[in-house]
Amino acid sequence: MSSPVVKLNSGYDMPLVGFGLWKVNNETCADQVYAAIKAGYRLFDGACDYGNEKEVGQGIARALKDGLVKREELFVVSKLWNTFHDGDKVEPIARKQLEDLGLEYFDLFLIHFPVALKWVDPAERYPPGWAGADGKITFSNATIQETWQAMESLVDKKLARSIGISNFSAQLIMDLLRHARIRPATLQIEHHPYLQQKKLIKYVQNEGIVITAYSSFGPLSFIELNMDSAHNTPTLFEHNVITSAANKHGKSAAQVLLRWATQRNIAVIPKSNDPTRLAQNLEVTGWNLEESEIEAINGLDLGLRFNDPLNYGFYIPIFA
C-alpha cells in the first residue's frame, strides 16, 4: 500500500503519510528505511540533527539497487540546523547532507527551528546540537530573511525541489511571506490531540501552505527522553476517546490518531520498526472518523507542548 499525495504550492506532490527518522538509531536505521520502502513508504523525513543521514542513504541506496523503488518515486525531506543559518553556510551544509544521503537533491528542505546559532564547523562536531563546546548557547546575527534567501538559492541550483519551515509561529510566517520570492511549501509542527494549534493551522492552510504533523502520538515520543511532562501525561493510546473510536472502526489507537490528522489534510510522519504497525500506519486514509469522533478528539486539547528548547534546558523561549 502507498499513501495518497497532497499537492504543494511548488507544484510537486508530497505523500500524506511518511516515515519519520527522528530517534531512529544508527545501528538499525538502514534496515528500517529499507523495510519501510518495502512496506510502501515513499516519504522519509530526516534532519542533520538526527545524526543518521548516512544510514538513511544506505537504506535508500539498497532499495534502489534492489529495484524496490526509483529515486523519482521517493520524497526525501531534510532540515537546516540552527548553526547553519548564516547565508554563506546554507549551501555548503546542504551539499554535505546530500552527500551523506547519496542524493543529488532534496524533495523538501526545511529550516528546522527559527533560531540562528553560531556556526560550528562540521569537521569539529557533527551534528552540532544546541550548545557550543562550552555548553552555552551562542546566537548568530543571521536574520530569517538572510537564511530564506539562501534556501531559495538551493531551489535555483536544483539542490532542493521545494523548501519549507518548521516550528515557526504565525508572526514569523507573516514576516517571511513579505519578502519570500519562493513561498514555503510546508510548515512542520508538533501536533497531537494535546497540542492542536488550531489558529496557526487555519492561517497556514489559508496561505496555501501544507501542514506536516510530528509527534502525532503526543507524550509517547518523549518518555524515553526522561521528560517529566511526558511521564505525567496520560498516554493517548489508552485514552477512552481514542480507544472507543478505534474499537468502533476496527483500527488501532495509532491509526485513529493519524486519521484525525490526515482527514483534515495534515500530513503525518510516524515511525515503527514493527512490521504490523509499519503497515497499519500507512492505512490511515481510506476510511473516515465520524464528525462526532473528531469533535471528541478536538476536545482533548491541553496546549501541552513537548518539543520545546526550554524542555531540554536551553533558554530559547521561541514558543512563549
Side-chain angles (χ1 to χ4, degrees):
M1 180 178 180
S2 60
S3 166
V5 298
V6 60
K7 179 72 72 175
L8 301 180
N9 60 25
S10 58
Y12 291 97
D13 291 333
M14 183 181 83
L16 199 59
V17 182
F19 188 90
L21 296 158
W22 182 43
K23 296 188 303 178
V24 175
N25 67 60
N26 299 75
E27 292 73 21
T28 64
C29 183
D31 288 339
Q32 284 188 253
V33 168
Y34 185 89
I37 291 174
K38 198 170 185 179
Y41 286 84
R42 295 296 179 260
L43 185 156
F44 291 87
D45 182 87
C48 150
D49 189 53
Y50 302 165
N52 56 13
E53 291 195 306
K54 287 185 178 179
E55 290 79 7
V56 172
Q58 291 166 6
I60 290 173
R62 204 166 101 216
L64 293 174
K65 182 181 178 182
D66 290 352
L68 296 185
V69 70
K70 297 176 181 177
R71 169 62 184 101
E72 58 268 25
E73 295 171 334
L74 294 175
F75 195 98
V76 180
V77 184
S78 193
K79 305 178 186 76
L80 178 79
W81 185 243
N82 308 327
T83 50
F84 305 111
H85 277 218
D86 291 4
D88 63 342
K89 300 297 190 290
V90 173
E91 183 179 332
I93 197 62
R95 289 186 181 277
K96 172 185 165 37
Q97 290 179 244
L98 286 170
E99 183 179 353
D100 286 347
L101 287 162
L103 302 175
E104 294 182 353
Y105 64 89
F106 301 110
D107 293 276
L108 176 64
F109 196 57
L110 309 176
I111 297 178
H112 203 150
F113 280 93
V115 179
L117 299 180
K118 182 181 178 181
W119 180 69
V120 174
D121 188 339
E124 295 178 9
R125 190 172 76 250
Y126 191 84
W130 286 91
D134 57 1
K136 297 180 181 179
I137 294 288
T138 304
F139 292 99
S140 158
N141 289 325
T143 64
I144 294 295
Q145 183 170 3
E146 176 184 342
T147 305
W148 190 253
Q149 287 174 343
M151 294 282 285
E152 290 172 329
S153 75
L154 299 181
V155 178
D156 297 336
K157 296 177 181 179
K158 302 189 184 306
L159 298 175
R161 288 187 164 181
S162 304
I163 51 177
I165 49 181
S166 180
N167 299 303
F168 273 53
S169 67
Q171 296 93 325
L172 282 175
I173 297 168
M174 289 176 189
D175 186 57
L176 188 156
L177 292 177
R178 291 186 184 104
H179 59 73
R181 175 170 56 89
I182 300 174
R183 291 169 68 88
T186 69
L187 168 68
Q188 189 172 127
I189 56 171
E190 181 179 344
H191 176 264
H192 46 76
Y194 291 151
L195 181 69
Q196 299 185 25
Q197 308 200 71
K198 296 173 186 175
K199 293 178 182 178
L200 174 62
I201 288 173
K202 182 178 180 180
Y203 166 69
V204 169
Q205 290 183 330
N206 284 344
E207 288 291 339
I209 299 168
V210 171
I211 297 284
T212 298
Y214 68 78
S215 299
S216 295
F217 304 144
L220 186 65
S221 299
F222 299 91
I223 289 174
E224 64 194 71
L225 301 179
N226 294 318
M227 199 173 287
D228 289 341
S229 57
H231 284 285
N232 297 331
T233 306
T235 172
L236 285 164
F237 282 0
E238 297 174 2
H239 198 291
N240 67 298
V241 169
I242 307 301
T243 57
S244 63
N247 291 335
K248 182 173 182 177
H249 293 277
K251 303 293 183 181
S252 69
Q255 286 175 303
V256 168
L257 291 168
L258 296 173
R259 186 57 182 143
W260 172 71
T262 60
Q263 197 164 325
R264 292 174 295 128
N265 221 33
I266 294 173
V268 293
I269 44 173
K271 72 171 183 292
S272 177
N273 56 11
D274 178 271
T276 299
R277 288 197 294 271
L278 197 65
Q280 287 178 345
N281 288 347
L282 266 182
E283 297 171 1
V284 292
T285 56
W287 53 281
N288 288 328
L289 293 167
E290 296 176 3
E291 191 59 36
S292 60
E293 293 166 332
I294 290 176
E295 287 303 315
I297 297 173
N298 289 349
L300 301 180
D301 197 0
L302 299 173
L304 184 57
R305 186 185 303 276
F306 297 103
N307 193 30
D308 188 329
L310 298 176
N311 289 336
Y312 303 113
F314 302 113
Y315 190 71
I316 308 176
I318 58 175
F319 299 117

